[in-house]
Amino acid sequence: MKSFEEIAGVWLESEIFGKQYSYRKGIEKDVEHLINYFGTRNCEEIKGMDVDKFIQYETENVNPNTGKPFSKRLMKAHLSAGLNIYDYALENDLIDCRNPFDRKKKKIPKSAPVEQRTPIDDEQKEMVLRVYHRAQIAAVIMLYCGLRRGEIIPLEWSDIDLLNKKIAVIKSVERVDSNNFRVKGHTKNGKDRYITIPDNIIPLIKLEKFQSNGKKLIFTQKCGKMHTVGSWQSTWESYQNTLNYEYYCQQMRNVGRVPKPYNSPTGIPQLLQHFTPHQLRHTYCTMLYHAGVDALKASKLMGHSNVQITLDIYTHLEQKYRTIDISPFNNYVRNDVANLVIPMTNMA
Protein backbone atom coordinates (compact mmCIF):
# COMPACT_ATOMS: atom_id res chain seq x y z
CA MET A 1 0.00 0.00 0.00
CA LYS A 2 1.45 3.36 -1.03
CA SER A 3 0.45 6.71 0.38
CA PHE A 4 -0.57 9.61 -1.80
CA GLU A 5 2.48 11.52 -0.63
CA GLU A 6 4.72 8.66 -1.75
CA ILE A 7 3.37 8.29 -5.29
CA ALA A 8 3.18 12.08 -5.67
CA GLY A 9 6.87 12.28 -4.81
CA VAL A 10 7.77 9.59 -7.36
CA TRP A 11 5.78 11.34 -10.11
CA LEU A 12 7.19 14.75 -9.23
CA GLU A 13 10.78 13.53 -9.47
CA SER A 14 10.07 12.22 -12.95
CA GLU A 15 8.03 15.22 -14.06
CA ILE A 16 10.50 17.97 -13.19
CA PHE A 17 13.61 16.26 -14.54
CA GLY A 18 15.22 18.49 -17.15
CA LYS A 19 12.47 21.14 -16.94
CA GLN A 20 12.93 24.87 -16.53
CA TYR A 21 13.14 26.35 -13.06
CA SER A 22 9.84 28.24 -13.27
CA TYR A 23 7.96 25.14 -14.39
CA ARG A 24 9.56 23.04 -11.65
CA LYS A 25 8.58 25.51 -8.93
CA GLY A 26 5.02 25.75 -10.21
CA ILE A 27 4.52 21.98 -10.28
CA GLU A 28 6.12 21.61 -6.85
CA LYS A 29 3.62 24.09 -5.41
CA ASP A 30 0.70 22.26 -7.05
CA VAL A 31 1.83 18.96 -5.53
CA GLU A 32 2.40 20.63 -2.16
CA HIS A 33 -1.27 21.66 -2.03
CA LEU A 34 -2.36 18.11 -2.87
CA ILE A 35 -0.08 16.54 -0.26
CA ASN A 36 -1.23 19.02 2.38
CA TYR A 37 -4.77 17.76 1.83
CA PHE A 38 -4.38 14.05 1.06
CA GLY A 39 -1.11 13.50 2.94
CA THR A 40 -0.34 9.95 4.01
CA ARG A 41 -3.71 8.49 3.04
CA ASN A 42 -3.56 5.23 1.14
CA CYS A 43 -3.82 6.38 -2.46
CA GLU A 44 -5.86 3.30 -3.45
CA GLU A 45 -8.52 4.27 -0.92
CA ILE A 46 -8.97 7.81 -2.22
CA LYS A 47 -12.21 7.95 -4.19
CA GLY A 48 -13.85 10.42 -6.53
CA MET A 49 -15.95 11.83 -3.69
CA ASP A 50 -12.73 12.58 -1.79
CA VAL A 51 -11.56 14.67 -4.73
CA ASP A 52 -14.97 16.38 -4.73
CA LYS A 53 -14.36 17.27 -1.09
CA PHE A 54 -10.93 18.60 -2.05
CA ILE A 55 -12.56 20.89 -4.63
CA GLN A 56 -15.07 22.00 -2.01
CA TYR A 57 -12.26 22.64 0.47
CA GLU A 58 -10.39 24.90 -1.97
CA THR A 59 -13.64 26.66 -2.88
CA GLU A 60 -14.39 27.49 0.75
CA ASN A 61 -10.88 28.30 1.97
CA VAL A 62 -8.05 30.64 1.06
CA ASN A 63 -4.65 29.78 -0.34
CA PRO A 64 -2.33 29.69 2.71
CA ASN A 65 0.54 30.97 0.55
CA THR A 66 -1.27 34.15 -0.51
CA GLY A 67 -4.20 34.58 1.86
CA LYS A 68 -6.47 34.93 -1.19
CA PRO A 69 -9.17 32.56 -2.51
CA PHE A 70 -8.00 29.76 -4.79
CA SER A 71 -8.49 30.91 -8.38
CA LYS A 72 -10.14 28.76 -11.03
CA ARG A 73 -6.80 28.50 -12.85
CA LEU A 74 -5.02 27.25 -9.72
CA MET A 75 -7.72 24.73 -8.91
CA LYS A 76 -7.51 23.37 -12.47
CA ALA A 77 -3.74 23.04 -12.08
CA HIS A 78 -4.16 21.06 -8.86
CA LEU A 79 -6.68 18.68 -10.43
CA SER A 80 -4.45 18.25 -13.48
CA ALA A 81 -1.48 17.38 -11.26
CA GLY A 82 -3.59 14.88 -9.32
CA LEU A 83 -4.78 13.27 -12.55
CA ASN A 84 -1.22 12.98 -13.84
CA ILE A 85 0.05 11.53 -10.56
CA TYR A 86 -2.49 8.71 -10.70
CA ASP A 87 -2.02 8.11 -14.43
CA TYR A 88 1.73 7.76 -13.90
CA ALA A 89 1.29 5.40 -10.97
CA LEU A 90 -1.22 3.25 -12.86
CA GLU A 91 0.91 3.07 -16.01
CA ASN A 92 3.88 1.93 -13.95
CA ASP A 93 1.89 -0.61 -11.89
CA LEU A 94 2.58 1.24 -8.64
CA ILE A 95 -1.09 1.05 -7.67
CA ASP A 96 -4.22 -0.83 -8.69
CA CYS A 97 -7.34 1.33 -8.62
CA ARG A 98 -9.36 3.78 -10.68
CA ASN A 99 -8.11 7.32 -11.12
CA PRO A 100 -10.24 9.44 -8.74
CA PHE A 101 -9.14 12.64 -10.50
CA ASP A 102 -10.79 11.68 -13.80
CA ARG A 103 -11.42 15.14 -15.26
CA LYS A 104 -14.62 14.02 -16.98
CA LYS A 105 -16.31 13.94 -13.59
CA LYS A 106 -14.52 16.79 -11.83
CA LYS A 107 -16.00 20.23 -12.29
CA ILE A 108 -14.82 23.41 -10.64
CA PRO A 109 -17.68 25.61 -9.39
CA LYS A 110 -18.56 28.53 -11.62
CA SER A 111 -18.31 30.73 -8.54
CA ALA A 112 -14.55 30.10 -8.29
CA PRO A 113 -12.74 33.42 -8.86
CA VAL A 114 -11.11 33.97 -12.24
CA GLU A 115 -7.80 35.79 -12.36
CA GLN A 116 -8.49 38.99 -14.24
CA ARG A 117 -5.94 40.65 -16.49
CA THR A 118 -6.40 44.38 -16.06
CA PRO A 119 -4.76 47.14 -18.09
CA ILE A 120 -3.31 50.17 -16.34
CA ASP A 121 -5.52 53.25 -16.24
CA ASP A 122 -4.91 56.64 -17.84
CA GLU A 123 -3.39 58.15 -14.69
CA GLN A 124 -0.88 55.30 -14.41
CA LYS A 125 -0.08 55.62 -18.12
CA GLU A 126 0.51 59.36 -17.73
CA MET A 127 2.96 58.76 -14.88
CA VAL A 128 4.85 56.11 -16.88
CA LEU A 129 5.36 58.60 -19.69
CA ARG A 130 6.14 61.61 -17.50
CA VAL A 131 8.23 60.39 -14.54
CA TYR A 132 11.88 59.55 -15.02
CA HIS A 133 13.35 56.46 -13.35
CA ARG A 134 15.94 53.90 -14.40
CA ALA A 135 13.09 51.49 -15.10
CA GLN A 136 11.12 53.95 -17.23
CA ILE A 137 12.68 52.79 -20.51
CA ALA A 138 11.70 49.18 -19.75
CA ALA A 139 8.17 50.17 -18.74
CA VAL A 140 7.63 52.29 -21.84
CA ILE A 141 8.81 49.53 -24.20
CA MET A 142 6.62 46.92 -22.46
CA LEU A 143 3.66 49.32 -22.60
CA TYR A 144 3.93 50.36 -26.26
CA CYS A 145 5.60 47.30 -27.80
CA GLY A 146 4.14 44.49 -25.66
CA LEU A 147 7.39 42.85 -24.55
CA ARG A 148 7.39 40.37 -21.69
CA ARG A 149 9.62 40.86 -18.65
CA GLY A 150 11.74 37.97 -19.87
CA GLU A 151 12.19 39.72 -23.22
CA ILE A 152 13.07 43.20 -21.91
CA ILE A 153 15.81 41.93 -19.56
CA PRO A 154 18.18 40.66 -22.34
CA LEU A 155 17.15 43.31 -24.90
CA GLU A 156 20.19 45.02 -26.44
CA TRP A 157 20.58 48.30 -28.28
CA SER A 158 21.59 46.29 -31.34
CA ASP A 159 18.07 44.80 -31.31
CA ILE A 160 16.56 48.25 -31.91
CA ASP A 161 16.56 49.73 -35.40
CA LEU A 162 15.62 53.36 -34.88
CA LEU A 163 15.92 54.16 -38.59
CA ASN A 164 13.19 51.69 -39.50
CA LYS A 165 11.47 51.92 -36.09
CA LYS A 166 11.71 48.19 -35.37
CA ILE A 167 12.48 46.05 -32.32
CA ALA A 168 13.79 42.52 -32.93
CA VAL A 169 12.52 40.30 -30.12
CA ILE A 170 14.84 37.35 -30.70
CA LYS A 171 15.82 36.19 -27.21
CA SER A 172 14.52 35.95 -23.67
CA VAL A 173 15.64 34.80 -20.25
CA GLU A 174 14.67 31.80 -18.15
CA ARG A 175 15.24 31.28 -14.44
CA VAL A 176 17.92 28.77 -13.58
CA ASP A 177 17.62 29.06 -9.79
CA SER A 178 16.05 31.29 -7.15
CA ASN A 179 17.94 34.42 -8.21
CA ASN A 180 19.55 34.03 -11.63
CA PHE A 181 18.45 34.20 -15.24
CA ARG A 182 20.00 32.63 -18.31
CA VAL A 183 19.67 34.06 -21.81
CA LYS A 184 18.22 31.70 -24.39
CA GLY A 185 17.71 32.10 -28.11
CA HIS A 186 14.19 32.94 -29.25
CA THR A 187 11.26 34.02 -27.08
CA LYS A 188 9.05 32.21 -24.59
CA ASN A 189 7.23 30.35 -27.37
CA GLY A 190 10.32 29.78 -29.50
CA LYS A 191 9.26 32.36 -32.07
CA ASP A 192 11.11 35.53 -33.03
CA ARG A 193 9.05 38.61 -33.79
CA TYR A 194 9.66 42.12 -35.08
CA ILE A 195 7.61 44.96 -33.66
CA THR A 196 7.08 48.43 -35.07
CA ILE A 197 7.88 51.12 -32.51
CA PRO A 198 5.15 53.78 -32.27
CA ASP A 199 6.29 57.33 -32.96
CA ASN A 200 5.40 58.69 -29.52
CA ILE A 201 8.21 56.81 -27.72
CA ILE A 202 10.96 57.24 -30.34
CA PRO A 203 12.35 60.45 -28.68
CA LEU A 204 12.58 58.73 -25.29
CA ILE A 205 14.40 55.71 -26.77
CA LYS A 206 16.82 57.98 -28.63
CA LEU A 207 17.57 59.94 -25.46
CA GLU A 208 18.10 56.76 -23.45
CA LYS A 209 20.46 55.40 -26.08
CA PHE A 210 22.43 58.65 -26.11
CA GLN A 211 22.82 58.43 -22.33
CA SER A 212 23.63 54.71 -22.26
CA ASN A 213 27.41 55.28 -22.29
CA GLY A 214 28.02 52.36 -24.61
CA LYS A 215 26.16 49.79 -22.51
CA LYS A 216 25.15 46.70 -24.46
CA LEU A 217 21.88 46.07 -22.63
CA ILE A 218 19.05 48.57 -22.60
CA PHE A 219 17.95 48.05 -18.99
CA THR A 220 20.55 46.82 -16.51
CA GLN A 221 21.48 46.84 -12.87
CA LYS A 222 23.31 49.95 -11.64
CA CYS A 223 26.59 48.06 -12.09
CA GLY A 224 25.76 47.49 -15.76
CA LYS A 225 25.15 43.75 -15.48
CA MET A 226 22.03 41.91 -16.57
CA HIS A 227 19.31 41.86 -13.96
CA THR A 228 18.90 39.00 -11.52
CA VAL A 229 15.51 38.05 -10.07
CA GLY A 230 16.26 40.05 -6.93
CA SER A 231 17.63 43.14 -8.67
CA TRP A 232 14.64 43.24 -11.02
CA GLN A 233 12.19 43.01 -8.11
CA SER A 234 13.93 45.70 -6.07
CA THR A 235 14.26 48.05 -9.06
CA TRP A 236 10.62 47.54 -10.03
CA GLU A 237 9.51 48.22 -6.43
CA SER A 238 11.62 51.40 -6.41
CA TYR A 239 9.99 52.44 -9.69
CA GLN A 240 6.48 51.88 -8.35
CA ASN A 241 7.26 53.89 -5.22
CA THR A 242 8.69 56.73 -7.32
CA LEU A 243 5.58 56.84 -9.51
CA ASN A 244 3.35 56.88 -6.44
CA TYR A 245 5.38 59.66 -4.80
CA GLU A 246 5.28 61.86 -7.90
CA TYR A 247 1.54 61.29 -8.19
CA TYR A 248 1.11 62.09 -4.49
CA CYS A 249 3.07 65.34 -4.91
CA GLN A 250 0.91 66.27 -7.87
CA GLN A 251 -2.28 65.71 -5.87
CA MET A 252 -0.96 67.74 -2.91
CA ARG A 253 -0.05 70.66 -5.15
CA ASN A 254 -3.47 70.52 -6.78
CA VAL A 255 -5.09 71.24 -3.39
CA GLY A 256 -2.49 73.78 -2.31
CA ARG A 257 -0.71 71.57 0.22
CA VAL A 258 3.00 70.91 0.70
CA PRO A 259 3.89 67.25 0.08
CA LYS A 260 5.93 65.28 2.60
CA PRO A 261 9.50 64.31 1.65
CA TYR A 262 10.02 60.97 -0.11
CA ASN A 263 11.51 59.30 2.97
CA SER A 264 9.03 60.76 5.45
CA PRO A 265 9.00 58.67 8.67
CA THR A 266 5.20 58.69 8.58
CA GLY A 267 5.20 57.22 5.09
CA ILE A 268 3.62 58.26 1.81
CA PRO A 269 -0.04 57.33 1.18
CA GLN A 270 -0.60 54.87 -1.64
CA LEU A 271 -2.56 56.99 -4.10
CA LEU A 272 -1.41 55.39 -7.36
CA GLN A 273 -2.09 51.68 -7.62
CA HIS A 274 1.01 49.55 -8.18
CA PHE A 275 1.06 47.58 -11.43
CA THR A 276 3.02 44.63 -12.77
CA PRO A 277 5.07 44.29 -15.96
CA HIS A 278 2.41 41.93 -17.31
CA GLN A 279 -0.24 44.63 -16.87
CA LEU A 280 1.77 46.83 -19.23
CA ARG A 281 1.80 44.05 -21.80
CA HIS A 282 -1.94 43.55 -21.35
CA THR A 283 -2.46 47.29 -21.79
CA TYR A 284 -0.62 47.06 -25.12
CA CYS A 285 -3.01 44.31 -26.23
CA THR A 286 -5.96 46.42 -25.09
CA MET A 287 -4.70 49.40 -27.11
CA LEU A 288 -4.32 47.16 -30.18
CA TYR A 289 -7.96 46.15 -29.74
CA HIS A 290 -9.17 49.75 -29.44
CA ALA A 291 -7.04 50.74 -32.44
CA GLY A 292 -8.86 48.16 -34.57
CA VAL A 293 -5.89 45.84 -35.12
CA ASP A 294 -7.31 42.43 -36.03
CA ALA A 295 -6.68 39.44 -33.76
CA LEU A 296 -4.31 37.67 -36.17
CA LYS A 297 -1.98 40.67 -36.43
CA ALA A 298 -2.26 41.32 -32.70
CA SER A 299 -1.32 37.70 -32.00
CA LYS A 300 1.87 38.09 -34.02
CA LEU A 301 2.74 41.37 -32.30
CA MET A 302 2.09 39.85 -28.85
CA GLY A 303 4.04 36.69 -29.63
CA HIS A 304 1.22 34.42 -28.48
CA SER A 305 1.72 30.71 -29.13
CA ASN A 306 -1.56 30.61 -31.03
CA VAL A 307 -4.19 33.07 -32.14
CA GLN A 308 -6.83 31.59 -29.80
CA ILE A 309 -5.08 33.23 -26.83
CA THR A 310 -5.48 36.61 -28.51
CA LEU A 311 -9.07 35.85 -29.52
CA ASP A 312 -9.93 35.03 -25.91
CA ILE A 313 -8.53 38.40 -24.79
CA TYR A 314 -10.32 40.22 -27.60
CA THR A 315 -13.59 38.47 -26.76
CA HIS A 316 -13.32 39.58 -23.14
CA LEU A 317 -12.53 43.15 -24.22
CA GLU A 318 -15.46 43.18 -26.62
CA GLN A 319 -17.80 42.08 -23.85
CA LYS A 320 -16.39 44.75 -21.56
CA TYR A 321 -16.34 47.72 -23.91
CA ARG A 322 -18.99 47.19 -26.54
CA THR A 323 -22.17 49.24 -26.45
CA ILE A 324 -25.26 47.56 -27.82
CA ASP A 325 -27.44 49.88 -29.88
CA ILE A 326 -30.94 49.77 -28.40
CA SER A 327 -32.32 52.72 -30.42
CA PRO A 328 -34.95 50.48 -32.11
CA PHE A 329 -36.15 49.42 -28.65
CA ASN A 330 -36.18 53.04 -27.47
CA ASN A 331 -38.25 54.04 -30.50
CA TYR A 332 -40.69 51.21 -29.82
CA VAL A 333 -41.36 52.05 -26.16
CA ARG A 334 -41.43 55.80 -26.87
CA ASN A 335 -44.13 55.46 -29.54
CA ASP A 336 -46.35 53.01 -27.67
CA VAL A 337 -48.59 54.78 -25.14
CA ALA A 338 -48.88 51.54 -23.20
CA ASN A 339 -45.26 52.10 -22.11
CA LEU A 340 -45.77 55.67 -20.93
CA VAL A 341 -44.47 56.28 -17.41
CA ILE A 342 -46.71 58.63 -15.42
CA PRO A 343 -44.81 60.26 -12.50
CA MET A 344 -46.57 60.11 -9.16
CA THR A 345 -47.70 63.49 -7.82
CA ASN A 346 -46.97 64.51 -4.24
CA MET A 347 -49.69 62.77 -2.24
CA ALA A 348 -49.06 64.72 0.94
Side-chain angles (χ1 to χ4, degrees):
M1 296 293 184
K2 290 181 171 59
S3 69
F4 179 86
E5 183 175 14
E6 187 177 356
I7 66 162
V10 173
W11 173 79
L12 182 62
E13 184 177 352
S14 170
E15 177 65 18
I16 66 176
F17 178 74
K19 300 294 176 59
Q20 294 182 7
Y21 177 85
S22 298
Y23 177 80
R24 296 200 310 267
K25 300 308 291 184
I27 290 293
E28 286 171 358
K29 287 182 180 179
D30 292 338
V31 173
E32 180 184 353
H33 283 289
L34 291 166
I35 290 176
N36 286 341
Y37 185 85
F38 293 105
T40 58
R41 290 181 60 179
N42 179 356
C43 60
E44 294 185 0
E45 294 178 354
I46 296 173
K47 307 299 181 185
M49 62 179 170
D50 296 309
V51 179
D52 291 335
K53 291 178 181 177
F54 171 69
I55 296 173
Q56 182 179 350
Y57 169 81
E58 291 205 331
T59 302
E60 297 174 349
N61 292 273
V62 297
N63 184 340
N65 295 331
T66 64
K68 299 178 180 179
F70 287 96
S71 68
K72 185 172 292 186
R73 181 197 63 79
L74 197 57
M75 293 171 70
K76 285 182 178 179
H78 295 168
L79 293 179
S80 177
L83 181 76
N84 291 334
I85 288 169
Y86 268 87
D87 279 348
Y88 179 85
L90 288 165
E91 289 170 4
N92 289 278
D93 297 322
L94 300 178
I95 56 175
D96 183 19
C97 64
R98 295 180 63 182
N99 189 334
F101 284 86
D102 185 350
R103 62 166 56 94
K104 294 179 181 178
K105 301 178 182 178
K106 302 304 158 199
K107 294 184 178 180
I108 296 171
K110 293 182 179 179
S111 59
V114 177
E115 293 177 340
Q116 296 289 344
R117 296 185 179 96
T118 56
I120 64 172
D121 59 32
D122 289 342
E123 289 180 327
Q124 292 169 316
K125 190 184 298 183
E126 178 191 348
M127 300 309 288
V128 168
L129 292 171
R130 187 170 66 80
V131 177
Y132 175 75
H133 185 277
R134 288 195 309 115
Q136 183 189 25
I137 184 66
V140 166
I141 291 175
M142 287 188 285
L143 174 59
Y144 286 98
C145 299
L147 271 67
R148 301 177 175 91
R149 182 193 70 165
E151 295 166 346
I152 199 73
I153 288 175
L155 191 67
E156 301 176 2
W157 286 112
S158 60
D159 298 322
I160 294 186
D161 179 356
L162 285 170
L163 181 63
N164 295 300
K165 302 178 183 179
K166 295 284 186 180
I167 293 182
V169 187
I170 56 177
K171 53 186 174 294
S172 60
V173 295
E174 60 184 7
R175 285 179 69 168
V176 293
D177 55 38
S178 61
N179 193 47
N180 292 291
F181 294 114
R182 172 176 59 204
V183 179
K184 63 174 184 176
H186 306 297
T187 64
K188 178 181 178 181
N189 296 313
K191 299 178 180 179
D192 298 340
R193 66 188 193 279
Y194 298 85
I195 300 170
T196 300
I197 307 170
D199 292 339
N200 68 316
I201 65 171
I202 290 289
L204 177 63
I205 294 176
K206 285 182 176 179
L207 177 62
E208 192 71 23
K209 184 176 183 180
F210 177 76
Q211 297 175 339
S212 66
N213 297 321
K215 287 191 302 184
K216 184 179 179 181
L217 294 169
I218 289 175
F219 177 47
T220 67
Q221 300 184 57
K222 286 184 178 180
C223 65
K225 294 182 179 180
M226 189 178 79
H227 275 290
T228 63
V229 176
S231 70
W232 171 277
Q233 291 173 345
S234 61
T235 304
W236 192 258
E237 183 65 21
S238 167
Y239 179 47
Q240 295 297 300
N241 290 337
T242 297
L243 293 179
N244 180 67
Y245 181 69
E246 292 298 325
Y247 183 74
Y248 155 75
C249 290
Q250 175 181 299
Q251 298 306 305
M252 290 299 100
R253 287 191 290 266
N254 287 345
V255 295
R257 296 175 59 184
V258 178
K260 295 187 289 186
Y262 184 83
N263 293 318
S264 170
T266 57
I268 303 300
Q270 188 69 48
L271 301 182
L272 189 73
Q273 188 68 33
H274 282 195
F275 54 83
T276 67
H278 191 76
Q279 280 181 269
L280 296 177
R281 176 172 157 82
H282 185 64
T283 306
Y284 174 68
C285 189
T286 303
M287 289 191 290
L288 292 176
Y289 167 80
H290 285 304
V293 178
D294 67 71
L296 182 58
K297 291 179 181 177
S299 180
K300 292 178 180 178
L301 290 168
M302 292 291 292
H304 286 150
S305 57
N306 61 73
V307 71
Q308 187 59 48
I309 297 173
T310 318
L311 285 170
D312 289 344
I313 296 173
Y314 266 37
T315 299
H316 171 73
L317 291 171
E318 183 180 356
Q319 292 171 344
K320 180 178 180 180
Y321 291 110
R322 73 180 174 186
T323 301
I324 299 176
D325 181 14
I326 65 165
S327 53
F329 179 70
N330 268 331
N331 291 334
Y332 169 74
V333 297
R334 183 170 53 243
N335 296 324
D336 188 342
V337 294
N339 297 303
L340 181 64
V341 176
I342 303 176
M344 295 287 291
T345 58
N346 191 340
M347 299 180 66

